[in-house]
Amino acid sequence: LQTRMQSLQPDPKAQYRTVYEALKKIVLTEGFWRPLRGINVTMLGAGPAHAMYFACYEKMKKSLSDTIQHGGNSHLANGIAGSVATLLHDAVMNPAEVVKQRMQMFNSPYKSVRACIRTVQKTEGFGAFYRSYTTQLTMNVPFQAIHFITYEFMQEQINPRREYNPRSHIVSGAIAGAVAAAATTPLDVCKTLLNTQENMALSSVNISGHLSGMVNAFKTVYRLGGISGYFRGVQARVIYQMPSTAISWSVYEFFKYFLTKHKLEKRTSL
């Protein structure tokens, strides 16, 4: 839904005013499973990407907090740790995102994930999978900095003893995701344009070949949609991110608690 709603010049049949209208129209005209196209490639990359992401974050957060605030909770350390963890995460997830978004576009010519990968590789080269990587980082570094700082701030407010508390992790994660998603929507619109390379949109502003780079993407979005163009799909983005970050944090905190508890029990039994 987010990809469709951020499309800057879609087919008239693929123009949507609200999230509900978009979902209803896609299901009725293209089938029940159409909104989930490309989800399998995202799931394949998500496991290893998130494992590296949280491992890097936890290690860097602890090291930087010890340096900056002598063992205390430093928001600066949280922001830096989240930003560095994003570099590893996006290196894995960027190609998966390119494939997913191309398969979700209206009248997508790709029949399967494999067909999409082969066609993009053959016609545009390997670089196409990383064309939006710098834009992704430009978007995700501030997103993750805001995300982690907000999460840790919320934990300080509703769970000051930092105990395992599923409700506090879900609420903090959802709020952190919503704040970060809303703040970085303009960057996400630019990323979608770079990933999808909408021919109709690009040709309407006399751009031939492939659009690349954050500056060019920003200029093109403005020429096509003005200021409001930067906030297309903000509602869908916030709705998507809230459960995503809430689930992500609650699962992470559960395994962190479980493994820490298991480690302590093992030590006391020796």
Side-chain angles (χ1 to χ4, degrees), residues 76-263:
L76 178 61
N78 299 334
I80 294 170
S83 300
V84 174
T86 303
L87 296 173
L88 291 173
H89 177 271
D90 286 2
V92 176
M93 287 305 293
N94 203 83
E97 184 77 1
V98 171
V99 174
K100 185 198 78 172
Q101 289 192 323
R102 289 194 181 221
M103 291 188 71
Q104 288 179 345
M105 291 302 291
F106 183 75
N107 276 342
S108 173
Y110 312 110
K111 302 296 180 189
S112 67
V113 168
R114 188 175 291 179
C116 181
I117 293 168
R118 280 179 181 170
T119 306
V120 173
Q121 169 75 40
K122 192 177 178 180
T123 58
E124 299 177 49
F126 182 75
F129 295 108
Y130 282 94
R131 192 178 286 127
S132 66
Y133 183 56
T134 51
T135 307
Q136 180 94 332
L137 289 178
T138 307
M139 180 188 75
N140 278 356
V141 165
F143 176 92
Q144 297 302 354
I146 295 166
H147 172 207
F148 282 108
I149 290 168
T150 306
Y151 178 81
E152 298 288 357
F153 172 78
M154 288 303 300
Q155 283 291 285
E156 283 181 349
Q157 306 309 306
I158 62 177
N159 186 19
R161 295 176 68 183
R162 306 309 291 265
E163 296 172 333
Y164 174 63
N165 183 329
R167 186 180 294 177
S168 81
H169 302 317
I170 290 169
V171 171
S172 298
I175 292 171
V179 171
T184 56
T185 297
L187 297 165
D188 195 48
V189 172
C190 294
K191 184 200 76 173
T192 297
L193 181 61
L194 286 169
N195 275 350
T196 56
Q197 297 290 318
E198 295 176 70
N199 292 326
M200 198 186 293
L202 298 178
S203 62
S204 72
V205 286
N206 300 318
I207 294 175
S208 57
H210 298 298
L211 182 71
S212 62
M214 172 60 97
V215 175
N216 288 333
F218 253 95
K219 287 177 181 175
T220 307
V221 170
Y222 184 76
R223 285 168 70 187
L224 286 163
I227 297 295
S228 62
Y230 292 117
F231 291 93
R232 295 194 69 160
V234 63
Q235 194 183 4
R237 182 164 159 76
V238 169
I239 291 168
Y240 169 77
Q241 286 294 345
M242 284 182 77
S244 173
T245 47
I247 291 166
S248 186
W249 276 109
S250 57
V251 170
Y252 169 68
E253 293 284 7
F254 167 75
F255 279 104
K256 184 180 168 183
Y257 164 75
F258 177 79
L259 293 170
T260 305
K261 188 183 175 188
H262 183 71
K263 201 173 179 182

Side-chain angles (χ1 to χ4, degrees), residues 23-84:
L23 183 60
K24 185 181 174 183
K25 197 179 278 189
I26 291 168
V27 169
L28 287 174
T29 59
E30 301 172 56
F32 182 77
W33 298 108
R34 192 66 172 90
L36 297 177
R37 280 200 83 193
I39 197 84
N40 51 346
V41 72
T42 307
M43 289 170 70
L44 270 173
H50 276 74
M52 289 190 293
Y53 173 69
F54 279 114
C56 178
Y57 171 70
E58 198 63 41
K59 181 71 178 172
M60 281 208 70
K61 181 181 81 168
K62 192 175 184 304
S63 301
L64 288 170
S65 288
D66 286 342
T67 305
I68 298 168
Q69 212 164 303
H70 303 292
N73 180 39
S74 165
H75 291 305
L76 178 61
N78 299 334
I80 294 170
S83 300
V84 174

